[in-house]
Amino acid sequence: MSWGGINSCQFRIGLSFQVLINSIYSSRTNTPFMRWLIILLLCSSTAFAQSDLGNWMMYFGTNKIDNHWSIHTEAQHRNYTVQPQLEQLLLRTGVNYKFDNGLMLTGGYANITNYEFQSSRVGPEVVEHRIWQQLITASYFGKAKLEHRFRYEQRWIESDFKTRYRYRGMLFYPLNTESIEVGTYYLGIYDEIFLQPGETTFDRNRLYGGVGYKYASNIQFQLGYLLQTVGSTTKQYLQFGLIFDT
């Protein structure tokens, strides 16, 4: 990074912290929206100091049909860096069936396009088509919710075919209420391991920690930090998520 880039990063960080200090004394920040805006400003500004830090912009939706059936919708724009430099675009959909005991089964399709870093090519270098099946169950311990997600994938990556198993254990913990309801801030922590049959069983691992805010009965915002390990390489990502249910 050039000296000019470093000075620019220092300026952004200094400006962000000055905004935070000023906001503490302003009654206008006493709203969930403004508090989230301050957090986003701080994280995005300090991220400029790390050239190896990427970001994922994510949308998740559950579109209800009736008490049992719903449609899963999802889009993820994953970047190599904090500034837009597309690494992967993931579009995923599926059909959910929720049992009376809360267990949820899902089956669906995903389209994933992958891009090389700073490539001059207009389109993606690698395209993947994926069929997936999923089971989600949850248990509760006081205020905490522990969600277990099991996923099996059949992947067509150009001319190759692979399968993969995934398990994610995620903890949700409300901070200002007894359960996650409108107006709740909550912690979200998960670890997800990816395993695939073949010579190298371990594919990757994702470790995440973040905070969420339930803005409305069908809208949530999430901001977090992800460490993804693929082989012997670990990369950091900021995650910005929107959950919008209908």
Side-chain angles (χ1 to χ4, degrees):
M1 181 182 290
S2 66
W3 286 109
I6 293 175
N7 290 335
S8 175
C9 290
Q10 292 173 338
F11 172 77
R12 291 173 185 270
I13 295 170
L15 179 60
S16 299
F17 278 101
Q18 186 60 52
V19 169
L20 176 62
I21 292 169
N22 292 341
S23 68
I24 293 173
Y25 299 100
S26 173
S27 60
R28 289 177 296 177
T29 63
N30 192 28
T31 65
F33 175 78
M34 288 303 297
R35 286 194 289 266
W36 271 94
L37 187 60
I38 292 167
I39 293 171
L40 288 171
L41 179 60
L42 279 172
C43 291
S44 61
S45 298
T46 54
F48 278 96
Q50 300 187 49
S51 59
D52 63 339
L53 184 67
N55 79 77
W56 291 5
M57 308 293 291
M58 307 179 299
Y59 154 79
F60 303 93
T62 300
N63 310 105
K64 189 175 179 180
I65 299 173
D66 57 31
N67 290 334
H68 294 287
W69 295 96
S70 60
I71 303 296
H72 173 85
T73 52
E74 178 181 347
Q76 298 192 34
H77 191 280
R78 300 172 174 176
N79 290 289
Y80 284 103
T81 59
V82 174
Q83 295 174 318
Q85 176 64 59
L86 184 59
E87 179 179 2
Q88 185 180 82
L89 178 63
L90 183 149
L91 303 173
R92 182 160 37 213
T93 189
V95 178
N96 304 314
Y97 183 83
K98 188 173 184 179
F99 293 87
D100 292 333
N101 62 2
L103 194 74
M104 181 177 285
L105 286 175
T106 306
Y109 165 79
N111 179 270
I112 302 97
T113 50
N114 300 276
Y115 300 79
E116 292 184 4
F117 183 63
Q118 295 182 338
S119 173
S120 59
R121 182 172 174 174
V122 175
E125 275 77 18
V126 179
V127 177
E128 176 183 345
H129 300 277
R130 185 183 300 175
I131 301 297
W132 58 286
Q133 301 84 42
Q134 178 175 279
L135 170 66
I136 293 179
T137 183
S139 53
Y140 294 84
F141 306 92
K143 293 173 59 174
K145 173 186 175 183
L146 180 59
E147 182 182 274
H148 305 275
R149 189 180 79 181
F150 305 88
R151 184 178 290 176
Y152 178 51
E153 299 173 333
Q154 302 85 54
R155 309 168 66 203
W156 287 265
I157 308 170
E158 299 293 338
S159 59
D160 293 334
F161 174 75
K162 299 180 179 181
T163 60
R164 187 165 64 182
Y165 301 91
R166 299 167 55 170
Y167 167 73
R168 188 189 78 180
M170 185 165 187
L171 179 71
F172 297 91
Y173 190 84
L175 297 175
N176 59 326
T177 56
E178 289 301 310
S179 61
I180 297 179
E181 57 194 42
V182 175
T184 298
Y185 291 93
Y186 58 90
L187 292 177
I189 302 170
Y190 76 71
D191 188 81
E192 183 172 19
I193 187 169
F194 297 64
L195 302 174
Q196 59 186 4
E199 296 179 3
T200 305
T201 302
F202 173 76
D203 179 52
R204 68 192 63 201
N205 190 82
R206 292 174 182 167
L207 179 62
Y208 168 89
V211 293
Y213 175 69
K214 188 159 186 176
Y215 176 77
S217 60
N218 64 332
I219 299 174
Q220 298 181 52
F221 301 103
Q222 295 180 346
L223 170 64
Y225 175 77
L226 176 77
L227 284 176
Q228 177 169 252
T229 300
V230 181
S232 59
T233 303
T234 298
K235 185 172 173 59
Q236 308 167 72
Y237 296 91
L238 289 178
Q239 286 194 347
F240 306 89
L242 167 65
I243 299 173
F244 180 71
D245 300 327
T246 59

